[in-house]
Short mmCIF file of all heavy atoms in Angstrom, two decimals:
data_model
loop_
_atom_site.label_atom_id
_atom_site.label_comp_id
_atom_site.label_asym_id
_atom_site.label_seq_id
_atom_site.Cartn_x
_atom_site.Cartn_y
_atom_site.Cartn_z
N ARG Y 25 -0.88 273.73 72.16
CA ARG Y 25 -1.60 272.89 73.11
C ARG Y 25 -1.28 273.30 74.54
O ARG Y 25 -2.18 273.43 75.38
CB ARG Y 25 -1.25 271.41 72.90
CG ARG Y 25 -2.12 270.48 73.72
CD ARG Y 25 -1.77 269.01 73.53
NE ARG Y 25 -0.50 268.73 74.18
CZ ARG Y 25 0.58 268.23 73.57
NH1 ARG Y 25 0.54 267.93 72.29
NH2 ARG Y 25 1.69 268.02 74.23
N LEU Y 26 -0.01 273.56 74.83
CA LEU Y 26 0.38 274.00 76.17
C LEU Y 26 -0.24 275.36 76.51
O LEU Y 26 -0.65 275.60 77.65
CB LEU Y 26 1.91 274.07 76.29
CG LEU Y 26 2.62 272.73 76.33
CD1 LEU Y 26 4.14 272.93 76.26
CD2 LEU Y 26 2.24 271.96 77.59
N THR Y 27 -0.31 276.24 75.53
CA THR Y 27 -0.93 277.55 75.75
C THR Y 27 -2.40 277.38 76.11
O THR Y 27 -2.89 278.01 77.06
CB THR Y 27 -0.79 278.42 74.49
OG1 THR Y 27 0.60 278.62 74.22
CG2 THR Y 27 -1.47 279.77 74.67
N ARG Y 28 -3.11 276.52 75.40
CA ARG Y 28 -4.52 276.28 75.71
C ARG Y 28 -4.67 275.67 77.11
O ARG Y 28 -5.58 276.04 77.86
CB ARG Y 28 -5.17 275.38 74.66
CG ARG Y 28 -5.41 276.08 73.32
CD ARG Y 28 -6.24 275.23 72.37
NE ARG Y 28 -5.68 273.92 72.12
CZ ARG Y 28 -4.79 273.63 71.16
NH1 ARG Y 28 -4.35 274.59 70.37
NH2 ARG Y 28 -4.36 272.40 70.99
N GLN Y 29 -3.78 274.74 77.46
CA GLN Y 29 -3.84 274.14 78.79
C GLN Y 29 -3.60 275.19 79.88
O GLN Y 29 -4.31 275.22 80.89
CB GLN Y 29 -2.82 273.02 78.93
CG GLN Y 29 -3.16 271.78 78.16
CD GLN Y 29 -2.03 270.76 78.18
OE1 GLN Y 29 -0.90 271.05 78.52
NE2 GLN Y 29 -2.36 269.53 77.78
N MET Y 30 -2.63 276.06 79.66
CA MET Y 30 -2.35 277.12 80.64
C MET Y 30 -3.53 278.08 80.75
O MET Y 30 -3.85 278.55 81.84
CB MET Y 30 -1.08 277.88 80.26
CG MET Y 30 0.20 277.10 80.45
SD MET Y 30 0.49 276.67 82.18
CE MET Y 30 0.76 278.28 82.87
N GLN Y 31 -4.17 278.39 79.63
CA GLN Y 31 -5.34 279.27 79.67
C GLN Y 31 -6.47 278.63 80.47
O GLN Y 31 -7.15 279.31 81.24
CB GLN Y 31 -5.80 279.61 78.26
CG GLN Y 31 -4.88 280.56 77.54
CD GLN Y 31 -5.21 280.72 76.07
OE1 GLN Y 31 -5.86 279.87 75.46
NE2 GLN Y 31 -4.72 281.80 75.48
N ARG Y 32 -6.67 277.32 80.29
CA ARG Y 32 -7.71 276.62 81.07
C ARG Y 32 -7.35 276.63 82.56
O ARG Y 32 -8.22 276.85 83.41
CB ARG Y 32 -7.89 275.19 80.58
CG ARG Y 32 -8.73 275.10 79.32
CD ARG Y 32 -9.13 273.66 79.01
NE ARG Y 32 -8.02 272.75 78.89
CZ ARG Y 32 -7.37 272.47 77.76
NH1 ARG Y 32 -7.74 273.04 76.63
NH2 ARG Y 32 -6.37 271.63 77.74
N GLN Y 33 -6.08 276.40 82.88
CA GLN Y 33 -5.67 276.41 84.28
C GLN Y 33 -5.84 277.80 84.89
O GLN Y 33 -6.29 277.93 86.03
CB GLN Y 33 -4.22 275.95 84.41
CG GLN Y 33 -4.05 274.47 84.20
CD GLN Y 33 -2.61 274.03 84.31
OE1 GLN Y 33 -1.70 274.84 84.36
NE2 GLN Y 33 -2.40 272.73 84.37
N GLU Y 34 -5.50 278.82 84.14
CA GLU Y 34 -5.67 280.19 84.62
C GLU Y 34 -7.15 280.47 84.86
O GLU Y 34 -7.52 281.06 85.89
CB GLU Y 34 -5.09 281.17 83.60
CG GLU Y 34 -5.17 282.62 84.04
CD GLU Y 34 -4.58 283.56 83.00
OE1 GLU Y 34 -4.04 283.09 81.97
OE2 GLU Y 34 -4.67 284.77 83.21
N ARG Y 35 -8.00 280.05 83.95
CA ARG Y 35 -9.44 280.23 84.10
C ARG Y 35 -9.95 279.48 85.33
O ARG Y 35 -10.71 280.03 86.13
CB ARG Y 35 -10.15 279.73 82.85
CG ARG Y 35 -11.66 279.75 82.95
CD ARG Y 35 -12.30 279.07 81.73
NE ARG Y 35 -13.69 278.87 81.95
CZ ARG Y 35 -14.21 277.79 82.53
NH1 ARG Y 35 -13.44 276.82 82.94
NH2 ARG Y 35 -15.51 277.69 82.71
N ASP Y 36 -9.52 278.23 85.50
CA ASP Y 36 -9.96 277.44 86.64
C ASP Y 36 -9.51 278.07 87.96
O ASP Y 36 -10.26 278.10 88.94
CB ASP Y 36 -9.42 276.00 86.54
CG ASP Y 36 -10.02 275.24 85.38
OD1 ASP Y 36 -11.01 275.72 84.79
OD2 ASP Y 36 -9.50 274.15 85.07
N LEU Y 37 -8.28 278.57 88.00
CA LEU Y 37 -7.77 279.22 89.20
C LEU Y 37 -8.57 280.48 89.50
O LEU Y 37 -8.92 280.75 90.66
CB LEU Y 37 -6.29 279.54 89.06
CG LEU Y 37 -5.63 280.23 90.25
CD1 LEU Y 37 -5.74 279.35 91.51
CD2 LEU Y 37 -4.17 280.53 89.95
N MET Y 38 -8.88 281.26 88.47
CA MET Y 38 -9.68 282.48 88.66
C MET Y 38 -11.05 282.13 89.22
O MET Y 38 -11.53 282.78 90.16
CB MET Y 38 -9.81 283.23 87.33
CG MET Y 38 -10.51 284.56 87.42
SD MET Y 38 -12.32 284.56 87.20
CE MET Y 38 -12.57 283.67 85.72
N ILE Y 39 -11.66 281.08 88.70
CA ILE Y 39 -12.97 280.65 89.20
C ILE Y 39 -12.87 280.23 90.66
O ILE Y 39 -13.70 280.61 91.49
CB ILE Y 39 -13.54 279.50 88.34
CG1 ILE Y 39 -13.93 280.02 86.96
CG2 ILE Y 39 -14.74 278.83 89.02
CD1 ILE Y 39 -14.25 278.93 85.96
N ALA Y 40 -11.85 279.45 91.00
CA ALA Y 40 -11.68 278.99 92.37
C ALA Y 40 -11.45 280.16 93.33
O ALA Y 40 -12.04 280.21 94.42
CB ALA Y 40 -10.52 278.00 92.45
N LEU Y 41 -10.62 281.10 92.93
CA LEU Y 41 -10.35 282.25 93.79
C LEU Y 41 -11.59 283.12 93.99
O LEU Y 41 -11.89 283.55 95.11
CB LEU Y 41 -9.21 283.09 93.22
CG LEU Y 41 -7.82 282.46 93.29
CD1 LEU Y 41 -6.82 283.31 92.53
CD2 LEU Y 41 -7.39 282.28 94.72
N GLU Y 42 -12.32 283.37 92.91
CA GLU Y 42 -13.53 284.18 93.01
C GLU Y 42 -14.59 283.47 93.85
O GLU Y 42 -15.27 284.10 94.67
CB GLU Y 42 -14.09 284.51 91.63
CG GLU Y 42 -13.31 285.57 90.90
CD GLU Y 42 -13.32 286.91 91.63
OE1 GLU Y 42 -14.38 287.34 92.11
OE2 GLU Y 42 -12.24 287.50 91.74
N THR Y 43 -14.73 282.17 93.65
CA THR Y 43 -15.70 281.40 94.43
C THR Y 43 -15.35 281.46 95.92
O THR Y 43 -16.22 281.70 96.76
CB THR Y 43 -15.73 279.93 93.95
OG1 THR Y 43 -16.05 279.91 92.56
CG2 THR Y 43 -16.74 279.11 94.73
N HIS Y 44 -14.10 281.26 96.23
CA HIS Y 44 -13.64 281.30 97.61
C HIS Y 44 -13.87 282.69 98.21
O HIS Y 44 -14.37 282.82 99.34
CB HIS Y 44 -12.16 280.91 97.66
CG HIS Y 44 -11.66 280.61 99.02
ND1 HIS Y 44 -10.42 280.97 99.43
CD2 HIS Y 44 -12.24 279.99 100.07
CE1 HIS Y 44 -10.25 280.60 100.68
NE2 HIS Y 44 -11.33 279.99 101.10
N ALA Y 45 -13.51 283.72 97.48
CA ALA Y 45 -13.68 285.09 97.98
C ALA Y 45 -15.15 285.41 98.21
O ALA Y 45 -15.50 286.02 99.24
CB ALA Y 45 -13.06 286.08 96.99
N LEU Y 46 -16.03 285.02 97.28
CA LEU Y 46 -17.46 285.27 97.46
C LEU Y 46 -18.01 284.52 98.66
O LEU Y 46 -18.83 285.05 99.42
CB LEU Y 46 -18.23 284.89 96.20
CG LEU Y 46 -18.09 285.84 95.02
CD1 LEU Y 46 -18.75 285.25 93.78
CD2 LEU Y 46 -18.67 287.20 95.35
N PHE Y 47 -17.57 283.28 98.85
CA PHE Y 47 -18.03 282.51 99.99
C PHE Y 47 -17.60 283.17 101.29
O PHE Y 47 -18.40 283.32 102.22
CB PHE Y 47 -17.50 281.07 99.93
CG PHE Y 47 -17.81 280.30 101.18
CD1 PHE Y 47 -19.09 279.80 101.40
CD2 PHE Y 47 -16.85 280.11 102.15
CE1 PHE Y 47 -19.39 279.11 102.56
CE2 PHE Y 47 -17.14 279.43 103.32
CZ PHE Y 47 -18.41 278.92 103.53
N ILE Y 48 -16.35 283.57 101.37
CA ILE Y 48 -15.86 284.21 102.60
C ILE Y 48 -16.61 285.51 102.86
O ILE Y 48 -17.04 285.78 103.99
CB ILE Y 48 -14.34 284.45 102.51
CG1 ILE Y 48 -13.60 283.11 102.57
CG2 ILE Y 48 -13.86 285.37 103.63
CD1 ILE Y 48 -12.12 283.21 102.27
N ARG Y 49 -16.78 286.33 101.84
CA ARG Y 49 -17.51 287.58 102.01
C ARG Y 49 -18.94 287.32 102.49
O ARG Y 49 -19.44 287.98 103.41
CB ARG Y 49 -17.54 288.35 100.69
CG ARG Y 49 -18.20 289.72 100.80
CD ARG Y 49 -18.17 290.48 99.49
NE ARG Y 49 -16.79 290.73 99.11
CZ ARG Y 49 -16.35 290.71 97.85
NH1 ARG Y 49 -17.19 290.47 96.87
NH2 ARG Y 49 -15.10 290.94 97.57
N PHE Y 50 -19.61 286.36 101.88
CA PHE Y 50 -20.97 286.02 102.28
C PHE Y 50 -21.00 285.49 103.71
O PHE Y 50 -21.82 285.90 104.52
CB PHE Y 50 -21.56 284.99 101.31
CG PHE Y 50 -22.93 284.54 101.67
CD1 PHE Y 50 -24.02 285.36 101.46
CD2 PHE Y 50 -23.13 283.29 102.23
CE1 PHE Y 50 -25.30 284.94 101.80
CE2 PHE Y 50 -24.40 282.88 102.57
CZ PHE Y 50 -25.48 283.70 102.35
N TRP Y 51 -20.10 284.57 104.02
CA TRP Y 51 -20.06 283.95 105.35
C TRP Y 51 -19.80 284.99 106.42
O TRP Y 51 -20.48 285.02 107.46
CB TRP Y 51 -19.00 282.85 105.38
CG TRP Y 51 -18.97 282.11 106.67
CD1 TRP Y 51 -19.81 281.12 107.08
CD2 TRP Y 51 -18.04 282.31 107.73
NE1 TRP Y 51 -19.46 280.68 108.32
CE2 TRP Y 51 -18.37 281.40 108.76
CE3 TRP Y 51 -16.97 283.17 107.92
CZ2 TRP Y 51 -17.67 281.33 109.95
CZ3 TRP Y 51 -16.26 283.09 109.11
CH2 TRP Y 51 -16.61 282.18 110.11
N LEU Y 52 -18.83 285.85 106.19
CA LEU Y 52 -18.52 286.88 107.18
C LEU Y 52 -19.68 287.86 107.35
O LEU Y 52 -19.93 288.36 108.45
CB LEU Y 52 -17.25 287.64 106.80
CG LEU Y 52 -15.95 286.85 106.93
CD1 LEU Y 52 -14.79 287.67 106.39
CD2 LEU Y 52 -15.69 286.43 108.36
N GLY Y 53 -20.38 288.14 106.28
CA GLY Y 53 -21.50 289.08 106.36
C GLY Y 53 -22.75 288.49 106.99
O GLY Y 53 -23.58 289.23 107.51
N GLN Y 54 -22.91 287.18 106.96
CA GLN Y 54 -24.14 286.56 107.44
C GLN Y 54 -24.01 285.85 108.78
O GLN Y 54 -25.02 285.51 109.38
CB GLN Y 54 -24.64 285.53 106.40
CG GLN Y 54 -24.96 286.13 105.06
CD GLN Y 54 -26.12 287.10 105.14
OE1 GLN Y 54 -27.09 286.87 105.85
NE2 GLN Y 54 -26.02 288.22 104.42
N THR Y 55 -22.79 285.59 109.24
CA THR Y 55 -22.60 284.81 110.46
C THR Y 55 -22.41 285.73 111.66
O THR Y 55 -21.42 286.46 111.73
CB THR Y 55 -21.37 283.89 110.32
OG1 THR Y 55 -21.54 283.10 109.14
CG2 THR Y 55 -21.24 282.98 111.52
N PRO Y 56 -23.36 285.70 112.60
CA PRO Y 56 -23.19 286.55 113.78
C PRO Y 56 -22.17 285.92 114.74
O PRO Y 56 -21.98 284.71 114.76
CB PRO Y 56 -24.59 286.54 114.41
CG PRO Y 56 -25.21 285.27 113.95
CD PRO Y 56 -24.61 284.98 112.61
N PRO Y 57 -21.51 286.73 115.55
CA PRO Y 57 -20.56 286.17 116.52
C PRO Y 57 -21.32 285.35 117.57
O PRO Y 57 -22.46 285.64 117.91
CB PRO Y 57 -19.89 287.39 117.14
CG PRO Y 57 -20.70 288.57 116.72
CD PRO Y 57 -21.55 288.17 115.57
N LEU Y 58 -20.68 284.29 118.05
CA LEU Y 58 -21.31 283.40 119.03
C LEU Y 58 -20.95 283.84 120.45
O LEU Y 58 -19.81 284.28 120.69
CB LEU Y 58 -20.83 281.97 118.83
CG LEU Y 58 -21.26 281.27 117.55
CD1 LEU Y 58 -20.59 279.91 117.45
CD2 LEU Y 58 -22.76 281.11 117.51
N PRO Y 59 -21.88 283.65 121.36
CA PRO Y 59 -21.52 283.89 122.76
C PRO Y 59 -20.53 282.81 123.22
O PRO Y 59 -20.47 281.72 122.66
CB PRO Y 59 -22.85 283.78 123.51
CG PRO Y 59 -23.82 283.19 122.56
CD PRO Y 59 -23.26 283.32 121.18
N ALA Y 60 -19.75 283.12 124.21
CA ALA Y 60 -18.68 282.21 124.69
C ALA Y 60 -19.22 280.85 125.07
O ALA Y 60 -18.58 279.82 124.81
CB ALA Y 60 -17.94 282.85 125.86
N GLU Y 61 -20.42 280.79 125.70
CA GLU Y 61 -20.95 279.50 126.16
C GLU Y 61 -21.41 278.60 125.01
O GLU Y 61 -21.52 277.39 125.17
CB GLU Y 61 -22.11 279.69 127.17
CG GLU Y 61 -23.30 280.45 126.63
CD GLU Y 61 -23.17 281.97 126.78
OE1 GLU Y 61 -22.14 282.46 127.25
OE2 GLU Y 61 -24.11 282.64 126.38
N ALA Y 62 -21.64 279.15 123.81
CA ALA Y 62 -22.10 278.35 122.66
C ALA Y 62 -20.95 277.93 121.75
O ALA Y 62 -21.15 277.15 120.82
CB ALA Y 62 -23.12 279.14 121.86
N GLN Y 63 -19.75 278.39 122.01
CA GLN Y 63 -18.63 278.10 121.10
C GLN Y 63 -18.23 276.64 121.09
O GLN Y 63 -17.88 276.09 120.05
CB GLN Y 63 -17.45 279.01 121.42
CG GLN Y 63 -17.70 280.43 120.99
CD GLN Y 63 -16.47 281.30 121.08
OE1 GLN Y 63 -15.41 280.83 121.46
NE2 GLN Y 63 -16.63 282.56 120.73
N ALA Y 64 -18.28 275.95 122.22
CA ALA Y 64 -17.90 274.53 122.26
C ALA Y 64 -18.86 273.70 121.39
O ALA Y 64 -18.42 272.85 120.61
CB ALA Y 64 -17.89 274.02 123.69
N ALA Y 65 -20.16 273.94 121.53
CA ALA Y 65 -21.15 273.20 120.73
C ALA Y 65 -20.99 273.54 119.25
O ALA Y 65 -21.08 272.65 118.38
CB ALA Y 65 -22.56 273.53 121.20
N ALA Y 66 -20.75 274.81 118.94
CA ALA Y 66 -20.56 275.21 117.55
C ALA Y 66 -19.30 274.58 116.97
O ALA Y 66 -19.28 274.18 115.80
CB ALA Y 66 -20.47 276.73 117.46
N ASN Y 67 -18.26 274.45 117.76
CA ASN Y 67 -17.02 273.82 117.31
C ASN Y 67 -17.26 272.35 116.97
O ASN Y 67 -16.81 271.85 115.94
CB ASN Y 67 -15.94 273.97 118.38
CG ASN Y 67 -14.55 273.74 117.84
OD1 ASN Y 67 -14.37 273.58 116.65
ND2 ASN Y 67 -13.58 273.72 118.72
N ALA Y 68 -17.99 271.64 117.83
CA ALA Y 68 -18.30 270.23 117.58
C ALA Y 68 -19.14 270.09 116.31
O ALA Y 68 -18.89 269.20 115.47
CB ALA Y 68 -19.02 269.63 118.78
#
């Protein structure tokens, strides 16, 4: 039972890491840099 639980946790962690990595890769590839005057509004 513990082995099955660890396998599920390992699978869940792998999914979370891959999801996070894909999101970051996509976000970095699609988001253009902001001009300095627009950064305050973008931050809000």
Side-chain angles (χ1 to χ4, degrees):
R25 188 181 72 237
L26 289 173
T27 299
R28 287 189 304 272
Q29 288 173 345
M30 288 297 293
Q31 288 170 339
R32 281 192 304 270
Q33 287 179 349
E34 182 180 357
R35 174 187 169 272
D36 293 349
L37 180 59
M38 185 270 309
I39 290 169
L41 289 173
E42 285 298 315
T43 302
H44 193 219
L46 286 172
F47 173 78
I48 290 171
R49 184 178 297 143
F50 177 75
W51 184 79
L52 289 174
Q54 299 296 321
T55 306
L58 293 175
E61 60 273 2
Q63 287 189 1
N67 198 7

